[in-house]
Amino acid sequence: MTRRYIVVGNGPAGVSAAETIRRHDGAGVVTIVGDEKVPFYSRPGLAYLLTGTIPEKMLFSRPETEYARQRLQREVGAVQAIDRGGHRVTLQGGRTLPYDRLLLAVGARALRPRIPGIELEGVVSLDNLEDARRILRLARRARRACVVGGGITAVELAEGLAAQHLETHYLMRKDRYWGGVLEPAESALIEDRLTGERIRLHRQTDLAAVVGRRGRVAAVETQSGERLPCDLLAVAIGTAPRVELARQAGLATGRGILTDAEFRTEDPDIFAAGDVAEVFDPATGEHVLDSLWSVAIEQGRAAGQNLAGAAQPYRRQAPFNVTRIGGVTTTLIGAVGSGGRDDDLVALARGDSQAWRQRLDAFAVVSDEGANRVRLHLGREHVVGAMVMGDQTLSRPLQQMIRDRVDIRPVRERLLRDPAHMAQVVLSLANPEAHGAR
Ligand SMILES: Cc1cc2nc3c(=O)[nH]c(=O)nc-3n(C[C@H](O)[C@H](O)[C@H](O)COP(=O)(O)OP(=O)(O)OC[C@H]3O[C@@H](n4cnc5c(N)ncnc54)[C@H](O)[C@@H]3O)c2cc1C
């Protein structure tokens, strides 16, 4: 019997799942349904589009013809309902498509604060290419912008708007940037860079309302009653997985769509992966949520195998992100949270992982050379998390060490006692032959 697969979502989880299904089932009919007209593109790349670092065409790594080459059918449209009993989905407009196996890879959307004026023209967030185009269009007519929120996207928005020559104000609720993940010295490093890019930082400043004139943003008002005139307000306070389809179909959801370790929901023919999925991790016994490009691809591949019948449990790797924050190249791997509070976020941000905030039994050691900084979290036998800012020499070796759970017992004492020699020790562990004995 020819199996019919439907993948909802044309992002990294959906596309990598569809390609994996094709590799495992050459005869199956694989259809990707996505509500964006454009073919697959890089969502993290949107930040570089805003700063003008890359042209739009560089976001697209695959031509539209790639779907046909792999015999993947593409449908442009939004899925509006799932009929579990009848094994079919309904598209906007009423057309239905039958499935034997269904994957929901519909991602997450940006949250908006519930304050007066938030619906005004000129309030923006950054979920997709359409949003980035809108921001660039609005920026052409605007002079002054305010940004609220935390994590990577808030800073990307601030830098993008400043690069578009807007006078840019970044409002932080408390004293420092991204307190849940960064230590104070790291927040200070990023804040200095933002100030250097002429972004004005407002600490202890909480948004109370957006003030409009003729339906458009004219100012923001803070909790202390201050009014900051602006034509644009960019919001990045966190994301919410798009669980509505699953909820309407009666599937179990928490923050995301709940799945087992093989990405199966409680319906054996419906799976979920990527930003929308809250996946069971047998190692911790918990369901976990990530918003990371590399994790979405990994999950899509593993889910694709399971849809095609491989019964492949997902082996969760330490999540990582290599990105630029305030112009500082930064790698975050594994349990790297600083223990601080995320005052500017109400939920998981983009390019963020719940695993970064895990409280593990570990000691933090830091090698700090001004703009270059490495923070390691040492468990008893393994490095459980790492943050590399600036010089990235240790980024790859640490990703490898954490992924392969390299035994650090022979060097642990030395790392704790003498963090200045961290680079030498890490490189010798990652590549013992090239760097001599431990
Ligand atoms: C501005 C920005 C910066 C980021 N920076 C980083 C970073 O530095 N590092 C990093 O690792 N990650 C980053 N991310 C996060 C990363 O892009 C996501 O984790 C990843 O795209 C998730 O993949 P996904 O396939 O699960 O969902 P998505 O990529 O969100 O794709 C889901 C697709 O499904 C579509 N869809 C939704 N509902 C329906 C429906 N009902 N019918 C049909 N289609 C539907 C959506 O329109 C979308 O096209 C960033 C994201 C953004 C937006």
Side-chain angles (χ1 to χ4, degrees):
M1 189 194 87
T2 307
R3 221 185 237 162
R4 294 158 306 180
Y5 302 91
I6 291 187
V7 173
V8 189
N10 190 29
V15 168
S16 57
E19 292 179 348
T20 307
I21 296 169
R22 171 52 71 234
R23 273 199 295 282
H24 282 72
D25 182 351
V29 179
V30 186
T31 306
I32 306 188
V33 189
D35 61 3
E36 293 184 83
K37 285 205 182 78
V38 288
F40 177 73
Y41 64 93
S42 165
R43 237 165 260 273
L46 295 174
Y48 302 97
L49 186 67
L50 287 189
T51 51
T53 318
I54 59 165
E56 194 179 292
K57 66 173 192 278
M58 272 188 73
L59 295 172
F60 299 95
S61 53
R62 284 156 214 231
E64 184 75 58
T65 50
E66 184 60 19
Y67 296 93
R69 199 188 65 75
Q70 298 198 45
R71 290 183 294 115
L72 305 173
Q73 300 187 4
R74 179 154 125 82
E75 290 275 347
V76 177
V79 170
Q80 288 202 316
I82 304 167
D83 170 5
R84 284 169 59 187
H87 272 66
R88 51 185 63 237
V89 296
T90 306
L91 303 186
Q92 195 175 16
R95 201 152 62 88
T96 61
L97 297 174
Y99 69 83
D100 298 303
R101 296 268 161 93
L102 174 67
L103 174 68
L104 300 174
V106 289
R109 67 162 63 80
L111 288 165
R112 295 271 173 107
R114 289 202 193 121
I115 53 168
I118 199 70
E119 70 298 333
L120 286 163
E121 165 83 2
V123 179
V124 296
S125 43
L126 185 57
D127 275 343
N128 51 39
L129 179 57
E130 222 15 80
D131 289 336
R133 287 174 177 163
R134 184 179 317 117
I135 292 170
L136 288 172
R137 236 180 2 251
L138 290 168
R140 266 183 237 128
R141 299 190 306 232
R143 279 196 325 113
R144 211 177 280 132
C146 287
V147 179
V148 291
I152 293 167
T153 323
V155 159
E156 288 177 340
L157 281 163
E159 290 186 289
L161 293 166
Q164 296 301 320
H165 309 292
L166 271 69
E167 182 187 308
T168 304
H169 298 255
Y170 180 24
L171 280 49
M172 289 186 280
R173 289 173 109 172
K174 293 281 158 51
D175 291 318
R176 68 184 183 97
Y177 169 65
W178 214 9
V181 171
L182 304 184
E183 286 192 343
E186 295 155 357
S187 299
L189 190 66
I190 305 295
E191 289 162 17
D192 283 351
R193 298 293 282 255
L194 296 180
T195 309
E197 291 176 40
R198 288 175 295 107
I199 295 167
R200 300 185 195 184
L201 306 182
H202 299 252
R203 296 185 172 81
Q204 303 277 359
T205 304
D206 205 352
L207 188 65
V210 193
V211 182
R213 195 183 308 124
R214 290 195 287 277
R216 301 179 54 85
V217 174
V220 296
E221 209 165 78
T222 69
Q223 296 279 2
S224 61
E226 193 189 355
R227 204 172 251 223
L228 285 169
C230 61
D231 326 281
L232 233 160
L233 170 66
V235 176
I237 60 168
T239 61
R242 294 179 200 258
V243 294
E244 301 80 8
L245 270 179
R247 268 203 194 131
Q248 281 162 16
L251 297 170
T253 57
R255 290 166 304 165
I257 304 174
L258 294 173
T259 80
D260 64 14
E262 293 173 10
F263 303 96
R264 209 177 242 108
T265 65
E266 59 196 335
D267 182 323
D269 293 327
I270 305 182
F271 297 69
D275 279 10
V276 77
E278 208 178 330
V279 182
F280 183 72
D281 178 7
T284 59
E286 288 174 8
H287 283 88
V288 275
L289 207 56
D290 293 303
S291 179
L292 288 167
W293 186 262
S294 57
V295 171
I297 290 178
E298 250 173 38
Q299 290 194 354
R301 283 188 189 139
Q305 289 187 47
N306 288 305
L307 263 91
Q312 188 68 246
Y314 173 51
R315 311 254 328 247
R316 191 166 201 273
Q317 307 281 354
F320 76 91
N321 192 359
V322 185
T323 188
R324 283 171 78 79
I325 318 176
V328 183
T329 306
T330 302
T331 299
L332 303 123
I333 322 161
V336 80
S338 71
R341 276 175 54 94
D342 276 326
D343 295 301
D344 295 300
L345 291 169
V346 300
L348 199 67
R350 304 272 188 203
D352 197 348
S353 171
Q354 188 190 326
W356 293 346
R357 320 284 193 307
Q358 258 177 320
R359 306 302 300 150
L360 297 179
D361 187 14
F363 276 104
V365 288
V366 174
S367 147
D368 188 354
E369 294 167 18
N372 300 319
R373 190 179 156 93
V374 183
R375 168 155 56 91
L376 295 188
H377 290 251
L378 305 180
R380 268 181 239 280
E381 295 177 18
H382 312 111
V383 179
V384 297
M387 149 98 76
V388 183
M389 295 178 100
D391 180 358
Q392 293 294 302
T393 310
L394 296 188
S395 171
R396 282 255 167 211
L398 282 168
Q399 285 174 43
Q400 210 180 315
M401 267 176 75
I402 295 173
R403 187 195 59 211
D404 298 344
R405 295 173 63 76
V406 169
D407 187 354
I408 57 162
R409 279 173 297 180
V411 299
R412 190 172 183 276
E413 277 310 309
R414 183 159 178 220
L415 280 171
L416 286 169
R417 213 179 39 241
D418 192 9
H421 288 98
M422 185 188 285
Q424 198 189 342
V425 175
V426 167
L427 291 171
S428 73
L429 272 180
N431 188 359
E433 275 137 48
H435 293 271
R438 292 165 186 173

Short mmCIF file of all heavy atoms in Angstrom, two decimals, residues 73-113:
data_model
loop_
_atom_site.label_atom_id
_atom_site.label_comp_id
_atom_site.label_asym_id
_atom_site.label_seq_id
_atom_site.Cartn_x
_atom_site.Cartn_y
_atom_site.Cartn_z
N GLN A 73 5.60 16.87 -2.86
CA GLN A 73 4.56 17.78 -3.35
C GLN A 73 4.46 18.96 -2.41
O GLN A 73 4.50 18.78 -1.20
CB GLN A 73 3.23 17.03 -3.41
CG GLN A 73 3.32 15.85 -4.34
CD GLN A 73 1.99 15.18 -4.56
OE1 GLN A 73 0.98 15.63 -4.06
NE2 GLN A 73 2.00 14.10 -5.29
N ARG A 74 4.33 20.15 -2.99
CA ARG A 74 4.24 21.35 -2.14
C ARG A 74 2.89 21.99 -2.32
O ARG A 74 2.45 22.22 -3.44
CB ARG A 74 5.36 22.32 -2.53
CG ARG A 74 5.35 23.60 -1.72
CD ARG A 74 6.74 24.18 -1.67
NE ARG A 74 6.80 25.56 -2.13
CZ ARG A 74 6.51 26.60 -1.37
NH1 ARG A 74 6.07 26.44 -0.14
NH2 ARG A 74 6.63 27.82 -1.86
N GLU A 75 2.24 22.27 -1.19
CA GLU A 75 0.95 22.99 -1.19
C GLU A 75 1.15 24.28 -0.43
O GLU A 75 1.65 24.26 0.69
CB GLU A 75 -0.12 22.19 -0.44
CG GLU A 75 -0.57 20.93 -1.11
CD GLU A 75 -1.67 21.20 -2.14
OE1 GLU A 75 -2.23 22.33 -2.14
OE2 GLU A 75 -1.95 20.29 -2.93
N VAL A 76 0.79 25.41 -1.03
CA VAL A 76 0.86 26.67 -0.30
C VAL A 76 -0.52 26.96 0.26
O VAL A 76 -1.49 27.06 -0.50
CB VAL A 76 1.32 27.83 -1.22
CG1 VAL A 76 1.32 29.15 -0.46
CG2 VAL A 76 2.70 27.54 -1.79
N GLY A 77 -0.62 27.05 1.56
CA GLY A 77 -1.91 27.31 2.19
C GLY A 77 -1.84 26.95 3.66
O GLY A 77 -0.89 26.28 4.10
N ALA A 78 -2.81 27.42 4.41
CA ALA A 78 -2.85 27.14 5.85
C ALA A 78 -3.76 25.96 6.13
O ALA A 78 -4.87 25.90 5.60
CB ALA A 78 -3.35 28.37 6.60
N VAL A 79 -3.28 25.03 6.95
CA VAL A 79 -4.15 23.95 7.41
C VAL A 79 -5.01 24.51 8.53
O VAL A 79 -4.50 25.14 9.47
CB VAL A 79 -3.31 22.75 7.91
CG1 VAL A 79 -4.19 21.74 8.63
CG2 VAL A 79 -2.58 22.09 6.75
N GLN A 80 -6.32 24.31 8.42
CA GLN A 80 -7.20 24.91 9.42
C GLN A 80 -7.78 23.90 10.40
O GLN A 80 -8.21 24.27 11.48
CB GLN A 80 -8.34 25.63 8.71
CG GLN A 80 -7.82 26.89 8.04
CD GLN A 80 -8.90 27.87 7.78
OE1 GLN A 80 -9.97 27.48 7.32
NE2 GLN A 80 -8.67 29.14 8.07
N ALA A 81 -7.82 22.63 10.00
CA ALA A 81 -8.39 21.63 10.92
C ALA A 81 -7.86 20.25 10.58
O ALA A 81 -7.47 19.98 9.44
CB ALA A 81 -9.92 21.65 10.81
N ILE A 82 -7.86 19.41 11.61
CA ILE A 82 -7.47 18.00 11.43
C ILE A 82 -8.68 17.15 11.80
O ILE A 82 -9.25 17.32 12.89
CB ILE A 82 -6.30 17.63 12.38
CG1 ILE A 82 -5.11 18.56 12.18
CG2 ILE A 82 -5.89 16.18 12.19
CD1 ILE A 82 -4.06 18.46 13.29
N ASP A 83 -9.05 16.26 10.90
CA ASP A 83 -10.13 15.30 11.18
C ASP A 83 -9.44 13.97 11.47
O ASP A 83 -9.04 13.25 10.54
CB ASP A 83 -11.06 15.24 9.96
CG ASP A 83 -12.07 14.09 10.06
OD1 ASP A 83 -12.11 13.42 11.12
OD2 ASP A 83 -12.80 13.88 9.08
N ARG A 84 -9.26 13.67 12.76
CA ARG A 84 -8.48 12.49 13.12
C ARG A 84 -9.18 11.20 12.69
O ARG A 84 -8.55 10.27 12.20
CB ARG A 84 -8.23 12.47 14.62
CG ARG A 84 -7.16 13.46 15.02
CD ARG A 84 -7.11 13.65 16.51
NE ARG A 84 -6.84 12.41 17.23
CZ ARG A 84 -6.88 12.31 18.55
NH1 ARG A 84 -7.18 13.36 19.29
NH2 ARG A 84 -6.62 11.16 19.13
N GLY A 85 -10.51 11.17 12.88
CA GLY A 85 -11.28 9.96 12.54
C GLY A 85 -11.21 9.69 11.04
O GLY A 85 -10.97 8.56 10.60
N GLY A 86 -11.39 10.77 10.25
CA GLY A 86 -11.40 10.61 8.78
C GLY A 86 -10.01 10.65 8.18
O GLY A 86 -9.85 10.53 6.97
N HIS A 87 -8.95 10.85 9.01
CA HIS A 87 -7.57 10.93 8.52
C HIS A 87 -7.45 11.94 7.38
O HIS A 87 -6.98 11.62 6.29
CB HIS A 87 -7.07 9.55 8.06
CG HIS A 87 -6.47 8.76 9.19
ND1 HIS A 87 -7.20 8.30 10.25
CD2 HIS A 87 -5.19 8.35 9.42
CE1 HIS A 87 -6.41 7.65 11.08
NE2 HIS A 87 -5.18 7.67 10.61
N ARG A 88 -7.90 13.17 7.61
CA ARG A 88 -7.73 14.20 6.59
C ARG A 88 -7.55 15.57 7.25
O ARG A 88 -8.00 15.78 8.39
CB ARG A 88 -8.88 14.22 5.59
CG ARG A 88 -10.28 14.27 6.17
CD ARG A 88 -11.34 14.16 5.07
NE ARG A 88 -11.27 12.89 4.39
CZ ARG A 88 -11.10 12.74 3.07
NH1 ARG A 88 -10.99 13.78 2.28
NH2 ARG A 88 -11.06 11.54 2.53
N VAL A 89 -6.87 16.47 6.51
CA VAL A 89 -6.74 17.85 7.00
C VAL A 89 -7.52 18.75 6.06
O VAL A 89 -7.65 18.46 4.87
CB VAL A 89 -5.26 18.32 7.06
CG1 VAL A 89 -4.47 17.50 8.05
CG2 VAL A 89 -4.59 18.31 5.70
N THR A 90 -8.03 19.85 6.61
CA THR A 90 -8.76 20.82 5.80
C THR A 90 -7.91 22.07 5.63
O THR A 90 -7.40 22.63 6.61
CB THR A 90 -10.09 21.22 6.49
OG1 THR A 90 -10.80 20.02 6.78
CG2 THR A 90 -10.94 22.13 5.61
N LEU A 91 -7.74 22.49 4.38
CA LEU A 91 -6.98 23.71 4.09
C LEU A 91 -7.92 24.91 4.09
O LEU A 91 -9.14 24.75 3.88
CB LEU A 91 -6.31 23.63 2.72
CG LEU A 91 -5.36 22.47 2.45
CD1 LEU A 91 -4.70 22.65 1.09
CD2 LEU A 91 -4.30 22.38 3.52
N GLN A 92 -7.32 26.09 4.29
CA GLN A 92 -8.10 27.32 4.15
C GLN A 92 -8.75 27.31 2.76
O GLN A 92 -8.07 27.01 1.78
CB GLN A 92 -7.14 28.50 4.25
CG GLN A 92 -7.80 29.79 4.48
CD GLN A 92 -6.74 30.88 4.68
OE1 GLN A 92 -5.57 30.71 4.36
NE2 GLN A 92 -7.18 32.00 5.21
N GLY A 93 -10.04 27.60 2.68
CA GLY A 93 -10.74 27.51 1.39
C GLY A 93 -11.59 26.25 1.31
O GLY A 93 -12.41 26.12 0.43
N GLY A 94 -11.31 25.28 2.22
CA GLY A 94 -12.21 24.13 2.33
C GLY A 94 -11.71 22.84 1.72
O GLY A 94 -12.27 21.77 1.97
N ARG A 95 -10.64 22.90 0.89
CA ARG A 95 -10.15 21.67 0.28
C ARG A 95 -9.60 20.74 1.37
O ARG A 95 -9.03 21.19 2.37
CB ARG A 95 -9.02 22.02 -0.70
CG ARG A 95 -8.78 20.95 -1.75
CD ARG A 95 -8.22 21.62 -3.01
NE ARG A 95 -6.96 22.26 -2.75
CZ ARG A 95 -5.77 21.65 -2.85
NH1 ARG A 95 -5.70 20.38 -3.19
NH2 ARG A 95 -4.66 22.31 -2.63
N THR A 96 -9.78 19.42 1.18
CA THR A 96 -9.24 18.48 2.16
C THR A 96 -8.18 17.58 1.52
O THR A 96 -8.22 17.33 0.31
CB THR A 96 -10.36 17.57 2.77
OG1 THR A 96 -10.95 16.82 1.71
CG2 THR A 96 -11.41 18.39 3.49
N LEU A 97 -7.24 17.15 2.35
CA LEU A 97 -6.17 16.25 1.88
C LEU A 97 -6.14 15.04 2.83
O LEU A 97 -6.04 15.22 4.04
CB LEU A 97 -4.81 16.95 1.94
CG LEU A 97 -4.57 18.18 1.06
CD1 LEU A 97 -3.20 18.79 1.39
CD2 LEU A 97 -4.62 17.78 -0.42
N PRO A 98 -6.18 13.83 2.29
CA PRO A 98 -6.13 12.66 3.16
C PRO A 98 -4.69 12.31 3.57
O PRO A 98 -3.74 12.61 2.83
CB PRO A 98 -6.70 11.55 2.26
CG PRO A 98 -6.39 11.99 0.87
CD PRO A 98 -6.32 13.48 0.87
N TYR A 99 -4.53 11.72 4.75
CA TYR A 99 -3.19 11.27 5.18
C TYR A 99 -3.28 9.92 5.86
O TYR A 99 -4.32 9.55 6.41
CB TYR A 99 -2.57 12.29 6.15
CG TYR A 99 -3.25 12.37 7.52
CD1 TYR A 99 -2.95 11.46 8.54
CD2 TYR A 99 -4.20 13.35 7.78
CE1 TYR A 99 -3.57 11.53 9.77
CE2 TYR A 99 -4.84 13.42 9.02
CZ TYR A 99 -4.52 12.50 10.02
OH TYR A 99 -5.14 12.57 11.24
N ASP A 100 -2.15 9.21 5.82
CA ASP A 100 -1.98 8.04 6.68
C ASP A 100 -1.15 8.43 7.89
O ASP A 100 -1.39 7.97 9.00
CB ASP A 100 -1.29 6.90 5.91
CG ASP A 100 -2.14 6.45 4.73
OD1 ASP A 100 -3.30 6.06 4.95
OD2 ASP A 100 -1.66 6.53 3.57
N ARG A 101 -0.14 9.28 7.67
CA ARG A 101 0.71 9.79 8.75
C ARG A 101 0.83 11.31 8.58
O ARG A 101 1.05 11.80 7.48
CB ARG A 101 2.13 9.20 8.69
CG ARG A 101 2.20 7.70 8.91
CD ARG A 101 2.41 7.40 10.38
NE ARG A 101 2.06 6.05 10.74
CZ ARG A 101 2.90 5.02 10.77
NH1 ARG A 101 4.16 5.20 10.44
NH2 ARG A 101 2.49 3.83 11.13
N LEU A 102 0.72 12.00 9.72
CA LEU A 102 0.71 13.48 9.69
C LEU A 102 1.79 14.01 10.63
O LEU A 102 1.90 13.53 11.77
CB LEU A 102 -0.67 13.96 10.15
CG LEU A 102 -0.91 15.45 10.34
CD1 LEU A 102 -0.86 16.18 9.00
CD2 LEU A 102 -2.28 15.70 11.00
N LEU A 103 2.57 14.99 10.18
CA LEU A 103 3.53 15.65 11.07
C LEU A 103 3.15 17.11 11.21
O LEU A 103 2.96 17.81 10.21
CB LEU A 103 4.96 15.57 10.49
CG LEU A 103 6.02 16.36 11.28
CD1 LEU A 103 6.28 15.75 12.65
CD2 LEU A 103 7.33 16.47 10.50
N LEU A 104 3.06 17.58 12.44
CA LEU A 104 2.83 19.01 12.70
C LEU A 104 4.18 19.65 13.02
O LEU A 104 4.80 19.33 14.04
CB LEU A 104 1.86 19.18 13.86
CG LEU A 104 0.48 18.55 13.64
CD1 LEU A 104 -0.38 18.64 14.90
CD2 LEU A 104 -0.23 19.21 12.46
N ALA A 105 4.66 20.50 12.12
CA ALA A 105 5.94 21.20 12.32
C ALA A 105 5.68 22.68 12.04
O ALA A 105 6.28 23.28 11.15
CB ALA A 105 7.00 20.63 11.38
N VAL A 106 4.73 23.23 12.81
CA VAL A 106 4.19 24.56 12.50
C VAL A 106 4.88 25.70 13.28
O VAL A 106 4.50 26.86 13.14
CB VAL A 106 2.65 24.62 12.75
CG1 VAL A 106 1.92 23.79 11.71
CG2 VAL A 106 2.30 24.13 14.15
N GLY A 107 5.92 25.36 14.08
CA GLY A 107 6.73 26.41 14.69
C GLY A 107 6.04 27.15 15.83
O GLY A 107 5.09 26.66 16.46
N ALA A 108 6.55 28.37 16.08
CA ALA A 108 6.06 29.19 17.20
C ALA A 108 5.81 30.60 16.69
O ALA A 108 6.30 30.98 15.64
CB ALA A 108 7.09 29.20 18.31
N ARG A 109 5.05 31.37 17.44
CA ARG A 109 4.83 32.77 17.04
C ARG A 109 5.25 33.69 18.20
O ARG A 109 5.25 33.29 19.36
CB ARG A 109 3.37 33.02 16.67
CG ARG A 109 2.38 32.92 17.80
CD ARG A 109 1.07 33.61 17.43
NE ARG A 109 0.41 32.98 16.29
CZ ARG A 109 -0.32 31.86 16.37
NH1 ARG A 109 -0.48 31.26 17.54
NH2 ARG A 109 -0.90 31.35 15.31
N ALA A 110 5.60 34.94 17.83
CA ALA A 110 6.02 35.91 18.84
C ALA A 110 4.84 36.32 19.69
O ALA A 110 3.72 36.51 19.18
CB ALA A 110 6.62 37.14 18.14
N LEU A 111 5.06 36.45 20.99
CA LEU A 111 4.01 36.92 21.90
C LEU A 111 4.01 38.44 21.95
O LEU A 111 5.04 39.08 21.74
CB LEU A 111 4.28 36.39 23.31
CG LEU A 111 4.05 34.89 23.52
CD1 LEU A 111 4.71 34.44 24.82
CD2 LEU A 111 2.55 34.60 23.55
N ARG A 112 2.86 39.01 22.24
CA ARG A 112 2.75 40.47 22.42
C ARG A 112 2.31 40.74 23.85
O ARG A 112 1.46 40.01 24.38
CB ARG A 112 1.68 41.02 21.48
CG ARG A 112 2.01 40.90 19.99
CD ARG A 112 2.77 42.13 19.54
NE ARG A 112 3.26 42.00 18.19
CZ ARG A 112 2.74 42.64 17.13
NH1 ARG A 112 1.68 43.43 17.29
NH2 ARG A 112 3.28 42.53 15.96
N PRO A 113 2.82 41.78 24.48
CA PRO A 113 2.33 42.10 25.83
C PRO A 113 0.88 42.58 25.77
O PRO A 113 0.48 43.20 24.78
CB PRO A 113 3.26 43.22 26.30
CG PRO A 113 3.83 43.80 25.06
CD PRO A 113 3.80 42.75 24.00
#
